[in-house]
Amino acid sequence: MSSSGAELKDITRTLRAQGRRVTPQRRLVLRLLQEQGGHLSADELYRLACQRRPRISLSTVYRALDVFEGLGLVRALHLEGEHHRYEIARDGEHHHMICLACGRVIEFECGHCAEMNRDLAERYGFDITGSRVQLLGYCTDCRARGEGRVH
Amino acid sequence: MSSSGAELKDITRTLRAQGRRVTPQRRLVLRLLQEQGGHLSADELYRLACQRRPRISLSTVYRALDVFEGLGLVRALHLEGEHHRYEIARDGEHHHMICLACGRVIEFECGHCAEMNRDLAERYGFDITGSRVQLLGYCTDCRARGEGRVH
DNA sequence: TTATATGCAAACAATTTGCATCCTG
DNA sequence: CAGGATGCAAATTGTTTGCATATAA
């Protein structure tokens, strides 16, 4: 089975449950996000969508993403500087490492984070409902190509 | 001594070393950031600056922040949704907890993060040069006022 | 059949830039 | 006095909105 997110059937159900409709545009946006493995910006999604459905508009892409985010089907990533990127929401929190040379985004899960949250909740009396962790650096490939900082 | 960042003398030196100039506008922006304890947006800085120097322009504020960031004197925070916020750069990495009810930003240092970085560097062959951690939740005060999620 | 979605164009907000003028070094 | 910095207005970029029309249920 696909690990890249909910099936069309589930999505249809989720949308309908909220009185929203399943349209070809929405299906397309979601499919692109699944096919490309996520981390796409609204504009990238729009360009890709145009290849299969030339009359789709950028605002439709934004609106679709908005609806999906509201339903918990899609997550928006707020990466440094750039515009936002979107990915299919999956179970389990994960975070991102971003390569400063090639822009690649690598996902990781992190046990330390849970520990950190507990620790901080205690230290500051904060009730932590979510966390965003971004690590900036250089990926293996780029380092092999001589990119990155000198050690 | 002030723990809120470099002294004017240091700043002057840093600027001059790069052929940049020390102007009243730049001094003002930096001072406001120090006085207010940081976490201000460009626009907030602009408004505050206007009180002391009505003819200053928003673009000057942006340009000052840009120069300071380039010199490592100021850090830009990219918080969820909102516009960017800026703070005086200090030694030692710290991160931010943001209260979803009152918007307050609380800084914290975190030993787990260093550990996490080592761990991930090893697991993925990534050379991590920096990290940004944001925890979202509800601060003690807001929880006392009944804000926040139900347990 | 009827409310939700779409496409398009226009509106927005945050940030950047061009340019004549000003002022620091 | 020369080149960097400023103020102002106009341009850009990413995103949102209004509205008439199209379409899913």
Side-chain angles (χ1 to χ4, degrees):
Chain A
M1 85 146 252
S2 153
S3 69
S4 54
E7 301 300 318
L8 181 56
K9 215 171 264 184
D10 305 327
I11 289 155
T12 302
R13 197 179 312 122
T14 310
L15 281 169
R16 297 240 172 96
Q18 309 295 316
R20 327 301 306 240
R21 291 174 183 177
V22 180
T23 64
Q25 290 88 335
R26 288 181 177 170
R27 252 188 258 121
L28 177 52
V29 168
L30 218 35
R31 183 143 60 95
L32 288 171
L33 231 24
Q34 288 174 326
E35 286 177 3
Q36 308 290 320
H39 308 146
L40 293 164
S41 69
D43 198 65
E44 285 167 343
L45 279 166
Y46 170 62
R47 284 173 213 277
L48 288 169
C50 280
Q51 292 172 16
R52 303 203 197 161
R53 176 172 268 270
R55 305 191 57 88
I56 195 173
S57 82
L58 181 54
S59 38
T60 297
V61 173
Y62 273 110
R63 284 189 274 226
L65 290 169
D66 216 49
V67 169
F68 293 149
E69 205 185 345
L71 296 176
L73 296 171
V74 160
R75 272 216 307 164
L77 311 177
H78 308 254
L79 306 184
E80 181 89 36
E82 327 173 41
H83 27 233
H84 298 162
R85 296 180 169 279
Y86 299 85
E87 65 181 18
I88 299 283
R90 286 170 284 130
D91 292 340
E93 191 166 59
H94 68 268
H95 301 294
H96 302 89
M97 289 189 289
I98 300 115
C99 177
L100 296 169
C102 67
R104 191 197 311 198
V105 178
I106 296 165
E107 306 185 347
F108 66 88
E109 287 175 21
C110 176
H112 296 296
C113 293
E115 208 177 319
M116 174 174 76
N117 288 4
R118 269 195 300 283
D119 183 23
L120 288 164
E122 195 176 320
R123 254 157 75 196
Y124 293 90
F126 218 86
D127 177 25
I128 296 170
T129 58
S131 63
R132 289 188 295 136
V133 176
Q134 289 171 31
L135 303 181
L136 294 309
Y138 297 92
C139 70
T140 327
D141 295 354
C142 286
R143 284 166 62 204
R145 284 207 320 278
E147 302 273 357
R149 63 174 170 188
V150 187
H151 282 97
Chain B
M1 83 145 256
S2 154
S3 69
S4 53
E7 301 300 318
L8 182 55
K9 216 172 261 182
D10 304 327
I11 290 155
T12 303
R13 197 180 311 122
T14 310
L15 283 169
R16 297 239 173 95
Q18 310 293 318
R20 328 299 308 239
R21 292 174 182 177
V22 180
T23 65
Q25 289 88 334
R26 289 181 177 169
R27 249 186 260 124
L28 178 53
V29 168
L30 217 36
R31 184 144 59 95
L32 287 171
L33 230 25
Q34 288 175 325
E35 287 177 3
Q36 307 291 320
H39 309 144
L40 293 165
S41 70
D43 198 65
E44 286 167 341
L45 278 166
Y46 170 63
R47 283 172 214 276
L48 288 169
C50 279
Q51 293 173 15
R52 303 202 197 163
R53 175 171 269 270
R55 304 193 56 88
I56 195 172
S57 83
L58 182 54
S59 38
T60 297
V61 173
Y62 274 111
R63 284 191 274 229
L65 290 170
D66 214 51
V67 168
F68 293 149
E69 205 184 348
L71 297 175
L73 295 172
V74 160
R75 272 214 307 164
L77 311 178
H78 307 252
L79 307 185
E80 180 90 35
E82 326 174 41
H83 27 235
H84 298 161
R85 296 180 168 279
Y86 299 87
E87 65 181 18
I88 299 285
R90 286 170 282 131
D91 292 339
E93 192 166 60
H94 68 269
H95 301 293
H96 302 90
M97 288 189 291
I98 300 115
C99 177
L100 296 170
C102 66
R104 193 199 309 200
V105 178
I106 296 166
E107 305 185 347
F108 67 89
E109 289 175 20
C110 176
H112 297 295
C113 294
E115 208 177 319
M116 173 174 76
N117 288 4
R118 270 195 302 282
D119 183 24
L120 288 164
E122 194 176 321
R123 254 157 75 196
Y124 294 91
F126 216 86
D127 177 25
I128 296 169
T129 58
S131 64
R132 288 186 296 134
V133 176
Q134 288 172 32
L135 303 180
L136 294 308
Y138 297 93
C139 70
T140 327
D141 294 354
C142 286
R143 283 166 62 207
R145 284 207 319 279
E147 303 273 357
R149 65 175 168 188
V150 185
H151 281 96

